[in-house]
Amino acid sequence: RDRSPSRGLGDVYKRQIIGFKVTDIRFGDVGVLVGVNDKTAQHLFVIENQGKEILIPINDLFIKLVDRENKILGLDVPQGLIELYL
């Protein structure tokens, strides 16, 4: 059964996507996925961009592409969300 990328984000899946390059439809290159914070009520992608940490809520609506071969995670996040961290 094909599942949405973030649904049931287990430990195995988290390890598989660490190191992926993260892109956003409007922003372009966001950075590299360095972790997944699942200690909060809203799980978060932890992305590093030139020494700065960007936190993006893990939401099926935001995830547009999971390219395992090229290690790319494509997102479409609300405008301005990424810029808040930069």
Side-chain angles (χ1 to χ4, degrees):
R1 196 172 113 158
D2 188 25
R3 298 175 66 146
S4 181
S6 70
R7 212 167 276 133
L9 203 64
D11 288 336
V12 171
Y13 183 76
K14 287 181 218 170
R15 282 195 301 273
Q16 288 174 349
I17 62 174
I18 300 299
F20 275 35
K21 178 181 168 184
V22 181
T23 63
D24 176 71
I25 287 173
R26 279 177 290 282
F27 187 82
D29 290 342
V30 180
V32 175
L33 185 69
V34 294
V36 173
N37 181 344
D38 58 4
K39 306 288 188 256
T40 56
Q42 170 66 64
H43 295 185
L44 303 166
F45 287 129
V46 181
I47 302 162
E48 171 153 331
N49 177 312
Q50 298 177 9
K52 295 190 172 136
E53 186 177 80
I54 298 170
L55 303 174
I56 304 289
I58 298 174
N59 183 318
D60 288 341
L61 298 175
F62 296 169
I63 301 170
K64 299 303 176 194
L65 169 74
V66 178
D67 180 345
R68 287 182 167 83
E69 187 176 327
N70 296 303
K71 296 195 170 199
I72 296 172
L73 177 64
L75 303 177
D76 182 5
V77 301
Q79 193 161 356
L81 180 62
I82 295 165
E83 291 85 348
L84 287 174
Y85 293 95
L86 302 176

